Structure formats: C-alpha cells, structure tokens
Amino acid sequence: MKKINEILGMKYPIIQGAMANIATGEFAAACSNAGAFGIVAVGGLPPEKFEEEIIKCKKLTDKPFGVNIMLMHPQADDIADIIARNPVAAVTTGAGNPGKYISMWKEKGIFVMPVVASVLLAERMVNAGADAVIAEGTESGGHVGEMTTMALVPQMVDRLDVPVIAAGGIADGRGMAAAYALGACGVQVGTCLLASNECPIHENYKQAVVKAGDNATVVTGRSAHAPVRVLKNKMARKYLQMELKGSDRDELEKLTLGSLRKAVFDGDADNGSLMSGQICGLVKEIRPLAEIFEEMTEGCNKVIDDLQGR
Ligand SMILES: Cc1cc2nc3c(=O)[nH]c(=O)nc-3n(C[C@H](O)[C@H](O)[C@H](O)COP(=O)(O)O)c2cc1C
C-alpha cells in the first residue's frame, strides 16, 4: 500500500486538516514547509478572499499543498471554479456531495479527497470519481458524524478500492500507528495543530486546548442536525441548555453567530466556539509544527518496531 506522502509528494504521511478561519494561506504554507500537506480552508470566506489565500500559499511554499471547500458555502460553484483556475495538488471537500465538480478538478490534475463520516457516503464519492477518502471519526474537532475513527476506518478500507486517510483523535505516533493498523495510508490532524507556534489563533484559544482534559469537549447542534465538537465553556453549556428546552434553529444560530471568529480572533474563551477534538487531553504544550510532525512520524515508527519485537 502506498502511503499518502508517496502519493502527494510530502515528507510525512500527515495532512493538515482544513480549519475555517484558521487554515489561512500562511498557515497551510507553514504546514507544507514543515513536511506535512497544508490545506487552505475556505470556511465562510468570500470567493475572492479565498483565491488571495491560495495565491499567498503558492508564494510562501514550493511544496505541495491543497484546498478545502465546504459545499454548503452559498457560493460553492464560484469556489469550485477558483480551485480549477488555481490548480493545487489536492482538494478536500466537506458538508455535501462534490460530484458535479469532480471531473472539472481532475481534468486539471487535482487529486480529490472528500472528507466522509460513513461508508455509504464514501462509496458515493468513489463512484463519482474521488481519488481517495478521508474517514473522519466523531472524535474530531469541528463538524462531526456519529461513527468513531476506530469503527469507521477498517469498514471503509474493506469496502473501497481507493486509499483511505484516517482523521479524528490522532495526535501522536501511537495514533498514527493505529491508523496504519486499521488499513489507512496516512492521517489528517487538526486539534494537535491548534497548539502550534505557527497557528494563527488567539493565545487564549491555544491555552484552552493545552489545559483541556480528556473529557473537555462536547457536541452541540445535534438537534439542528449540525453537530459540532467544541470545548465545554459558557457558550457551549448555554447552547446545550437551549437545545434541551427545544429552542428552534434560528434561536440557536443567533447564539453561535460569529462564535468561531470570537474564539479565533478575540480569544473570547467564554462566548467563543472553541472547536476542538477529544484528543485535546493529549496536547500538553505549544510547539513548532516541524517538531509535531517529526515526532508523530518517528513515534509511529517506534511503535511499529516495538510491536514487531525489535
Ligand atoms: C478548529 C477546527 C476547525 C475545523 N474546520 C474544518 C473545516 O472548515 N472544514 C473541514 O473539512 N474540516 C474542519 N475541521 C476538521 C479538521 O479538518 C480535521 O479533519 C479534524 O480536526 C481531525 O480530527 P482531530 O481534531 O481529532 O485531529 C476543523 C477542525 C477543527 C479542530
């Protein structure tokens, strides 16, 4: 089995997960320069701003990088065209079916990797032409599905003929080795990168991740069919109370409007949406990206050697 770094051409088999408002051109370039595969995230950016971030990333790195499109973006068609006009090494897609864009991207030589949380969806993506899939378990930070990485990855590996990348709950060499054991060809990580020197989030957000324990996250938005994993704080607790009371989608949206920006830019640890995965309890210090990627890969090799009794 080819590892994802052999397919995409980076040093380590690690993809930096897209993170709305965080994965800028500068951050993606820093990840690629540190040996992983950087991804510029569109999040809620207007199309022209997204294009600027892609161009910025191209200027800052000569290494391969990709982009992420959230298909629920109101201008998804324009964003898909921008990706075709600025061909990058790969595109990851979330929150919808990218089927109608896949042939346009592939004509430009772009490798297409939808992020999926169920085998059925993954099969649909592969039938639509996806080159690989990213199996994202519910341990992840941000928008989540129901299945765990442990249960999802081997089922996807068994059912698909394309490479599967594991995401959700991975932050060190043990996690990476587990992903390989389940049949994945590499990993995508998000939470552990929040605690990097280069990550452009407010210091308060980084500290909240570093101080978080194993049970520090909660999923909000299940009642609105938009589940999001965040650190427990004043806002998350209020949101959950409102969901219990049966508040409608509009009221809930009012509470969370701009809340990720509050966390990322203002460092508002009470009222911001501090998206984070369950693996935050393993993330104990803020470190350079290069160290995070190198240690994860070396740690993985050591685990595999140990298992083989070397
Ligand atoms: C703060 C944050 C924001 C995220 N935003 C996005 C996004 O905009 N698009 C997307 O496809 N995934 C998003 N994700 C998911 C990540 O790309 C990645 O799959 C996930 O973080 C991997 O799991 P982990 O957090 O356990 O490492 C986000 C994750 C975090 C932590």
Side-chain angles (χ1 to χ4, degrees):
M1 175 184 63
K2 265 195 172 172
K3 303 252 168 75
I4 192 64
N5 51 319
E6 294 169 298
I7 298 170
L8 295 176
M10 63 284 190
K11 184 171 179 190
Y12 302 119
I14 305 172
I15 297 174
Q16 162 245 307
M19 292 188 275
N21 288 315
I22 299 170
T24 57
E26 199 173 341
F27 184 63
C31 288
S32 287
N33 287 333
F37 189 78
I39 301 248
V40 182
V42 70
L45 288 180
E48 53 297 347
K49 183 81 186 72
F50 177 55
E51 191 163 21
E52 279 171 27
E53 293 299 319
I54 300 175
I55 293 167
K56 208 185 282 174
C57 191
K58 261 192 191 135
K59 280 197 189 130
L60 293 172
T61 186
D62 57 359
K63 304 276 190 299
F65 70 94
V67 295
N68 171 260
I69 172 173
M70 291 301 270
L71 295 156
M72 64 191 175
H73 192 295
Q75 288 157 292
D77 285 349
D78 297 335
I79 289 156
D81 285 340
I82 286 173
I83 296 170
R85 271 210 313 275
N86 297 272
V88 289
V91 57
T92 66
T93 69
N97 188 339
K100 62 176 174 172
Y101 308 126
I102 289 184
S103 59
M104 167 173 80
W105 292 332
K106 286 180 72 167
E107 271 166 32
K108 301 284 181 181
I110 304 173
F111 194 80
V112 181
M113 309 185 282
V115 180
V116 273
S118 82
V119 176
L120 185 68
L121 256 182
E123 283 178 324
R124 270 194 214 146
M125 299 298 160
V126 173
N127 290 337
D131 297 294
V133 294
I134 301 175
E136 192 188 64
T138 191
E139 301 92 321
S140 300
H143 292 266
V144 291
E146 285 296 334
M147 289 186 71
T148 60
T149 306
M150 181 77 130
L152 185 60
V153 173
Q155 296 190 63
M156 250 189 225
V157 168
D158 280 357
R159 289 274 282 277
L160 306 176
D161 291 331
V162 299
V164 175
I165 296 118
I170 299 162
D172 69 3
R174 292 169 296 179
M176 188 191 261
Y180 284 144
L182 296 174
C185 69
V187 300
Q188 168 164 295
V189 297
T191 297
C192 63
L193 306 183
L194 294 172
S196 64
N197 295 339
E198 294 89 338
C199 188
I201 58 174
H202 195 282
E203 190 58 27
N204 294 352
Y205 191 168
K206 290 188 190 182
Q207 288 302 331
V209 173
V210 166
K211 286 188 187 134
D214 60 323
N215 204 17
T217 70
V218 73
V219 175
T220 58
R222 286 198 201 278
S223 65
H225 305 292
V228 177
R229 187 174 297 284
V230 294
L231 290 179
K232 284 177 203 162
N233 65 357
K234 194 170 145 197
M235 208 273 289
R237 286 193 183 94
K238 176 140 193 235
Y239 192 106
L240 290 176
Q241 275 168 8
M242 285 171 68
E243 282 193 285
L244 266 179
K245 272 195 331 211
S247 298
D248 64 28
R249 215 184 158 120
D250 286 349
E251 283 178 276
L252 293 169
E253 259 175 29
K254 230 182 267 165
L255 179 69
T256 53
L257 196 70
S259 58
L260 180 59
R261 296 178 64 84
K262 272 186 212 160
V264 171
F265 302 118
D266 308 338
D268 186 342
D270 289 331
N271 305 302
S273 171
L274 303 167
M275 290 187 190
S276 166
Q278 290 181 332
I279 205 66
C280 55
L282 208 63
V283 179
K284 287 286 158 244
E285 50 178 340
I286 296 164
R287 299 188 296 160
L289 285 169
E291 195 179 306
I292 297 173
F293 298 140
E294 186 183 0
E295 203 176 287
M296 194 179 294
T297 310
E298 281 183 359
C300 170
N301 293 338
K302 185 172 179 312
V303 169
I304 293 171
D305 282 351
D306 288 351
L307 286 171
Q308 288 173 337
R310 270 190 248 152

